[in-house]
Amino acid sequence: MSLIFEKSSEERTGFRIPRLDIEKTEIEIDNKYIRKEEPKLPQVHELEIVRHYDSLERLNHSVDKGFYPLGSCTMKYNPIFADEIANWERFKFIHPYQDLNTMQGSLEVMYNLQHYLAEITGMDNVTLQPAAGAHGELTGMLIIKKYLEDQGYKNKTKVIVPDSAHGTNPASAKMAGFDVVEVKSNEYGRVDLEEFKNIMDEDVAAVMLTNPNTLGLFEKDILKISKIAHDHHALLYYDGANLNAIMGKIRPGDNGFDVVHLNLHKTFSTPHGMGGPGSGPVGVKAYLKEYLPVPVVEHDEEGKFYFNYDIKNSIGQMRSFYGNFLVLLRAYVYILSMGRDGLKKASEMAVLNANYMRKKLSEFMTVAYPGLCKHEFVIEGSFLKKYNVKTLDFAKRMLDYGIHPSTIYFPLIVKEAMMIEPTETESKGTIDEVIDIFKKITEEAKKNPRLLKDAPFSTPVKRLDELKANKELKVRF
Amino acid sequence: MSLIFEKSSEERTGFRIPRLDIEKTEIEIDNKYIRKEEPKLPQVHELEIVRHYDSLERLNHSVDKGFYPLGSCTMKYNPIFADEIANWERFKFIHPYQDLNTMQGSLEVMYNLQHYLAEITGMDNVTLQPAAGAHGELTGMLIIKKYLEDQGYKNKTKVIVPDSAHGTNPASAKMAGFDVVEVKSNEYGRVDLEEFKNIMDEDVAAVMLTNPNTLGLFEKDILKISKIAHDHHALLYYDGANLNAIMGKIRPGDNGFDVVHLNLHKTFSTPHGMGGPGSGPVGVKAYLKEYLPVPVVEHDEEGKFYFNYDIKNSIGQMRSFYGNFLVLLRAYVYILSMGRDGLKKASEMAVLNANYMRKKLSEFMTVAYPGLCKHEFVIEGSFLKKYNVKTLDFAKRMLDYGIHPSTIYFPLIVKEAMMIEPTETESKGTIDEVIDIFKKITEEAKKNPRLLKDAPFSTPVKRLDELKANKELKVRF
Amino acid sequence: MPMYPFLPHTKEEIREMLDVIGVNNVDELYSDVTNLYKDELNIPESMSEIELNQHLKDLAANNRHIREYGTFRGAGIYAHYIPSLVYQIGAKRGFLTAYTPYQAEVSQGTLQIMYEFQTMMSELTGMEVSNSSMYDGATSMAEAILMASRVNKKQKTLISESIHPEYKNVSETYIKPQNIEFDYIKYDEKTGRLDLEDLKNKIDSKTSSIVVGYPNFFGIIEHLDEIKEMLPEKVMMIVVANPIALGMLEAPGNLGADIVVGEGQPLGNAPAMGGPSFGFFTSKRKYIRQMPGRIIGETVDEQGKPGYVMVLQTREQHIRRDKSTSNICSNHAHNALLATIYLNVIGKRGLRDIAYQNYYKAHYLAKKLLETEKFEPFFEADFFNEFTIKYNGNLKILNNKLLDQNYFGPYDLEKNYDKFKNVALFCATELTSKEDVLFLTAFVEGLI
Amino acid sequence: MPMYPFLPHTKEEIREMLDVIGVNNVDELYSDVTNLYKDELNIPESMSEIELNQHLKDLAANNRHIREYGTFRGAGIYAHYIPSLVYQIGAKRGFLTAYTPYQAEVSQGTLQIMYEFQTMMSELTGMEVSNSSMYDGATSMAEAILMASRVNKKQKTLISESIHPEYKNVSETYIKPQNIEFDYIKYDEKTGRLDLEDLKNKIDSKTSSIVVGYPNFFGIIEHLDEIKEMLPEKVMMIVVANPIALGMLEAPGNLGADIVVGEGQPLGNAPAMGGPSFGFFTSKRKYIRQMPGRIIGETVDEQGKPGYVMVLQTREQHIRRDKSTSNICSNHAHNALLATIYLNVIGKRGLRDIAYQNYYKAHYLAKKLLETEKFEPFFEADFFNEFTIKYNGNLKILNNKLLDQNYFGPYDLEKNYDKFKNVALFCATELTSKEDVLFLTAFVEGLI
């Protein structure tokens, strides 16, 4: 459809400026610094704008529209009530530099949330500052780095990351100034303990794990891994992307993890917003408390909340101000809405859904690793090879059935991977329908593979030429 | 798609009741009056509800989605800002029986709106009470009836209505206890003055006119009609459905009308809401002021607003409380947003759009009445007969092009009528596209009439069996 | 000249369009009118959104509302909780900016919603059929009386004295032009229920219908079955019901009602100073052809796929003109949508739980008030979430003092019944907190 | 056990599913884990929406905000008018509940919006390319420094002392682990602009980039062209810009900037206590392969129809892992959407008009304050909508008193610069009314 710029006309407007209620003064700025050429922003009337976005919204798949089993992304239902709260003026229109007395309500939300998240993860202290999961990872890595430096370690330059890890893990470790060492997964999809032992030495600063890992499998050797790491004075880092499997059931802090980040936009149901904003709080064990980024919310003896900037060994500040407050607020609403009872049940149902779907799909597809999974599982798409069909084709065909494909080609260690996370907010009815669609497409792959290779048919556009896009790099109108 | 009832399950819920903070008392009600069988309302979880309505919304055409030229309905752009204001708690959560001191803001809105509407129509006093256009018509007819009775007329039992009138006109006259006499239109689409004179006698209580009429034509003889009616002590009623043609240009009160109703959901851009709520204020000349329904908003000497229930000859009350306040509020916002300058320009552009479209379509379709129209015009669809195609077929084919058909088979006096009202909020660009679609469909009618007769092809359902629906009358799940 | 966000025309486009039409300027488009208005309308100049926002903020500052004040006031409009989904979904522009489903193929959203609405209202009232909404409770009652007369061709209605006063007023306005006689039936001075003796005396051969509240304006549960027993076969019983009460009370359909109507506001609609909300209108199936308003029915399309259309349009004004069952055209579909979403969200169990909480809260409030000994019982009968009680002091002064404490006190029945000096109509809902009640009792006891 | 609106499973379904899986109960699904948590989490039990609504109302009651108080405070987050369309359209659930456009065919809405966003940000800054958003202004600046080092392989950055203090802190956190040296360049004590002499002295062969505000933290318009002239060819000029100011000020791209970043909040985003808003990130085209974050490009589908996809993904962490340009994954797409809608609504003319009104209001405020003689000029240089001024009394006391009058006073610069005793940073925007200014001047003169 047309770009908004193509609908622009000099004489149209979507906005009028109010009458100026004061006299104009002369412009004192040197003419050199006065803009001559106006930016080519569109001049469009309201109805055109409204229809433009009405049309654009229709082009998107979304959780509200249908099933969205993107593995590792936890595309669960995002409560409308939480959005409504986040739109209250008394939360939304607070200036970050207001007097603390005029934002006690918001500070209390943050204070409570810090404690709830600490409780859920089994950690002692939490910072709400990081803006996203990867930002939390960087925060955690910087905490580890500074702590180890302060402990006098001179050469802890390495971070161990499994080959199944999210791409952000090695990237964040690198941004924190570490070198990344990859550890292979074994035939059961877990960290290969032998190789892990071989790689481990005193130069290792940290081990970054996701548990359950990106295959949806619980790292059963976690206590051994933890002991080995700690014996080498390395810290254990928990990537919380998969926390939705374990709320109230397993606490990373109880399994040896020293630092944890969470993705509130996954586990705690804040909307993903087409790619963000997220929020990536970081929890640490007490001994790392003094390394958290500033500020942390605390209260004084009279119960007045304030931002504590006086954190002795703080790594510094990770972003401006205090965090993505409106995301924090939504997560707070979600947690209280579910309660300790509901959070636990949510994780249980997420795991139930995943195992049910895994089991049903295993009847006609290849599940990469057998046995119980947690909140997600991975299909090895190479079983389609005999029909000359790729996972990409399978995924594109799913679009024709109105459901979003799973994450594909990740984790990298599974050939033609499809990583499926149904989440707990989907009903058995929906999941059964989706299983039928998987089955139908598998049949189509056998009988009429062109249907997959030429798919999608029913989407607003057909397959797009990514090569051309990357070659020409036309990134603006 | 499935009904929500089909998605229900006993164990699901979209709602939880809060803990009861008091002790329960014993139920004293006689068991006879206690409900035994629960109403079969659905038990559904939130995500299901959200997806249900997400899907239902997609099945609807709407102004936000595209062109909607329903003649006589004025489907113009409805400002989002006005909706936002109507959602402010300080307007939305007022109980009608609050102390007047706690609703002065809302009363001021009503007071000002009464005056703006009086000014626009050239009337002296306005009631905001009627809930819709037809409700306003009934109000107006009752005012006329009571006034004439009070004047001592015993036998004024008839109301003259043109054959081109909206169906509500005769229906409302009838509900007010009058008999309806139809006056024919002449070859120019206007009231036939000669026949009008013949029908007119002292038994006539009122003449109901829409001006411009439903053909979009200005009743040029209005002053003559007015004089004849008044000479017979009959009153002139103005159906404001077509006011969008004349704001700031012609005032019904200046052309002899005694009573006027308006449709705020048409002219004043409040959203039609799938069929309502509307709002149908009624304006009267000063001599009818004491007949308005109670209450009317006034203010005392200190500027305090109040509801005046003390209206001497009031016809009584037309509905509970004071009117559709949140609709009134939106209209108030619209009027101030456009201002006296913008309202006039809106009417001018509405008339410009209609004439432009009329002229362009006349190149390949039959316009029922030649010459200038106002905000709408009527195509005589019988030119399609030679291709064995009906207006209904033409309309259904329009659906395939993503635009809403015009009003069809109305007014009754035009064969196979298509009544087109583009409104002023549509751009020339959109109208040109629509003209091309009309042209294309006209071509299709010639070359491939099946395309029209079998249309629509792209809608969620194809043509529906109305006979079956009316025969079986299945009106609930 | 300012540019308007709602008007897209450029000067060049206007020129082109005028040329096509064959006129020189816009004024010529009005060359055929009489008494062209030459002045400027005496209304303000156009305002920018920023200015208008400020203006409305200034106006809103003079309002207070039931979410910032406590409230014990009902009397026809009630302070129930509205779940977040109701407004958020209701505000979808595909619902808000669509019109009457004249083209069913592109209105299946609207039509299915109205079909679901009709189902829910039928279920609630225990009636067989429902239309897709009226303006409000009062006009629904008026139209019900007219409908009864169309059904049984009789021209007199008997209305309970304890019907909401505004409903009585509106009904009078509606039925007088139809030459339908009306009379009022007394309430029992002790119980506040319909006086069966008086009813008996007033029924005659001309009687078409009797109208009774459920609960009535005093909050009292009428014994519908006993009333029904008094009625000759053809006389129709019209019940004006509170839909939330129907989560706890037996459906009027099971107690003999012929037509059940009411105010829909309690179902997910904001008080809105009294409007817009909607009226619901249900009846026995055999009367459907005499029903006013729009009705949606199920059918199939050419390929056998289920779909929905408007049915019985030949009853309606756009087809039948002066022979139609009513002049109603615009209904209150969007408010009915809000109610439908509300009932979807709360479900049958939620409705029951809410209804019972209303009952418990109101009875707790009544008990606590009597314990202060500043009040004494008035009517002695079962009630739902509203009740009458007599204040030993001056009720107007009490209400004014409560206002200073940010509370809207009870409705003062003297407003409508001269003899009810200091008789209060108190209301409690699921939102009335123990704290509210304890504040009130302490306040009347002079402790605050 | 309560039923949860977000959990659809019935007991029977759970049973069926367990049977299919082949386990006896849900606990068995966790049979493979270590240290299963046996306690109850120490967080509250689940709350109904009604209770939660009340809880949040209680919390919100302890907040005040810039729409109910007047404000003269900016310092990085600004009180601009947000047209109604921005939130209303932004709240569409098809935008809110979609994720990263991994499947382009069902994400053309997202992708086209981001493409339009990139176009607008490029236009605003006068740069050739833009990514589709960062977390905020501070991290954008930090990433810009890292990017400059990737481009020119030099390891030192010079940061203007007058950059927002929080941006400096964040940048330090980001660049230290990369062993990038940094130093601060003084501002001219008289003008508040960058001290060109100091810059000259500090540039050396290791210098990768210099970072300068436009306007700077004091609201002052830096002479970018003069700074650029001082820089050796390879040294990159990073400009941290206020996007509203760019409606009036020459685009940094025309004054020599290599990378232009900034805080996007002023464009249609609520202050939100500082987050979420977004950072914008633009640069010359030749550096695009070193840019962090997601970038959208135009292409065609198999049938030649235009469409949009993510490009240069090989820079990103999910492909390149520890070799990526940044670890950023989630961006702030939804906030960028709000900015896009905002810029659509106001258009180029609106942006210009708003910018000029900001200028006029701020200069009017400055003039009026000086006229009271309670203030004296501090820096003497051109400013946009913020300016520094020295108060003759105690600024902290003044601000506390203003708070009692429901005004947030100016930002107190002593918070960040010890020597700036009683130096205030005042801000005015298009929403600052004459009334606000006259109140303030009367107040400082002791007339109120």
Side-chain angles (χ1 to χ4, degrees), chain A residues 2 4 10 12 15 17-18 21 25 28-29 32-33 35 38-40 42-43 46 52-53 56-57 59-64 68 78 83 87 89-90 92-95 97-98 102-103 105-106 116 119 134-135 165 167-168 172 174-175 222 245 249 251 254-255 271-276 317 319-321 324-325 332 336-341 347 351 353 372 374 396 425 428 460 462-465 470 472-477, chain D residues 4 6 9 16-17 28-30 32 34-35 37 41-44 46-47 55 59-60 63-68 73-74 77 85 87 93-99 103 105-106 108-110 112 115-116 118-119 123-124 136 164 166 169 173-174 178 221 223 225 246 248-250 271-276 285 297-302 305 312 317 321-322 327 330-332 334 344-345 347-349 352 357 359-361 434:
Chain A
S2 306
I4 194 75
E10 285 300 311
R12 295 203 181 115
F15 183 78
I17 194 82
D21 60 356
T25 46
E28 290 162 1
I29 301 171
K32 228 178 358 178
Y33 304 112
R35 187 157 198 143
E38 283 176 343
K40 290 186 199 67
Q43 291 288 141
E46 261 198 49
H52 186 69
Y53 288 100
L56 287 171
E57 188 197 13
L59 302 180
N60 270 5
H61 190 82
S62 65
V63 174
D64 277 23
Y68 209 144
N78 309 130
D83 283 340
N87 194 39
E89 293 198 336
R90 282 202 168 165
K92 193 170 156 182
F93 284 101
I94 290 183
H95 190 285
Y97 289 146
Q98 279 179 211
T102 64
M103 49 164 95
S106 293
Y116 299 159
E119 176 70 11
H135 204 216
T168 47
S172 298
K174 193 64 196 298
M175 275 197 78
I222 183 60
K249 304 294 291 186
R251 306 198 310 168
D254 300 341
N255 273 316
H272 288 69
M274 312 186 294
Q317 207 176 340
R319 51 157 295 164
S320 55
F321 315 112
N324 282 342
F325 177 75
Y332 180 72
L336 289 179
S337 174
M338 298 301 282
R340 60 176 174 233
D341 43 329
S347 284
V351 171
N353 274 358
L372 281 182
K374 291 286 156 297
K396 295 304 179 193
T425 60
K428 179 173 179 295
K462 296 188 46 91
R463 286 197 208 184
L464 292 154
D465 187 343
N470 278 286
E472 298 181 0
L473 283 183
K474 181 156 168 27
V475 298
R476 50 156 301 180
F477 177 67
Chain D
Y4 304 90
F6 310 149
H9 297 72
E16 283 172 32
M17 294 168 86
E28 277 186 34
L29 297 172
Y30 289 89
D32 56 352
T34 52
N35 288 328
Y37 190 63
L41 292 173
N42 182 25
I43 59 178
S46 66
M47 290 164 83
H55 171 60
L59 288 170
N63 285 347
R64 293 295 177 274
H65 61 79
I66 58 164
R67 285 201 175 177
E68 55 189 337
R73 207 163 285 184
I77 295 290
L85 257 62
Y87 171 75
R93 298 275 294 184
F95 299 139
L96 214 43
T97 75
Y99 196 31
Q103 297 289 338
E105 295 88 347
V106 291
Q108 286 298 304
T110 298
Q112 181 170 334
Y115 185 79
E116 294 182 353
Q118 290 172 183
T119 304
E123 279 291 333
L124 266 189
D136 68 352
H164 194 297
E166 303 215 22
N169 294 343
T173 311
Y174 264 69
Q178 300 299 323
I221 299 160
H223 291 181
D225 55 334
L246 300 183
M248 179 177 191
L249 302 185
E250 182 58 283
M273 210 164 96
R285 187 179 171 90
E298 196 191 69
T299 187
V300 294
D301 76 357
E302 289 170 0
K305 194 174 167 187
L312 296 178
Q317 45 72 29
R321 304 176 78 83
D322 55 321
N327 71 333
S330 285
N331 62 4
H332 279 205
H334 194 265
N344 272 348
V345 171
K348 62 180 178 183
R349 205 160 34 234
R352 181 198 62 200
Q357 282 210 0
Y359 179 91
Y360 292 129
K361 298 265 181 165
K434 183 174 183 176

Side-chain angles (χ1 to χ4, degrees), chain C residues 352-398:
Chain C
R352 183 197 62 202
D353 291 347
I354 289 166
Y356 274 85
Q357 282 210 0
N358 273 257
Y359 179 90
Y360 291 129
K361 299 266 181 164
H363 286 73
Y364 176 77
L365 172 60
K367 182 168 150 262
K368 287 288 169 188
L369 288 177
L370 290 174
E371 281 173 10
T372 64
E373 299 188 352
K374 305 284 184 192
F375 291 89
E376 54 191 69
F378 194 69
F379 289 125
E380 286 175 20
D382 299 337
F383 60 90
F384 173 59
N385 69 350
E386 278 185 292
F387 59 90
T388 54
I389 195 165
K390 194 169 165 60
Y391 180 50
N392 291 340
N394 182 315
L395 184 58
K396 281 171 194 61
I397 292 173
L398 176 66

Side-chain angles (χ1 to χ4, degrees), chain C residues 67-130:
Chain C
R67 286 200 174 178
E68 56 188 335
Y69 278 31
T71 179
F72 297 103
R73 206 162 287 185
I77 295 290
Y78 299 92
H80 293 292
Y81 185 75
I82 303 177
S84 175
L85 257 63
V86 174
Y87 170 74
Q88 296 294 335
I89 292 175
K92 280 179 187 279
R93 299 276 293 182
F95 299 138
L96 214 44
T97 75
Y99 196 29
T100 305
Y102 290 124
Q103 296 291 337
E105 296 88 347
V106 291
S107 307
Q108 287 296 303
T110 297
L111 289 159
Q112 181 169 334
I113 287 165
M114 292 300 111
Y115 185 79
E116 294 183 352
F117 169 79
Q118 290 172 184
T119 304
M120 290 182 186
M121 298 320 298
S122 303
E123 280 291 333
L124 265 189
T125 56
M127 302 305 284
E128 292 162 323
V129 297
S130 167

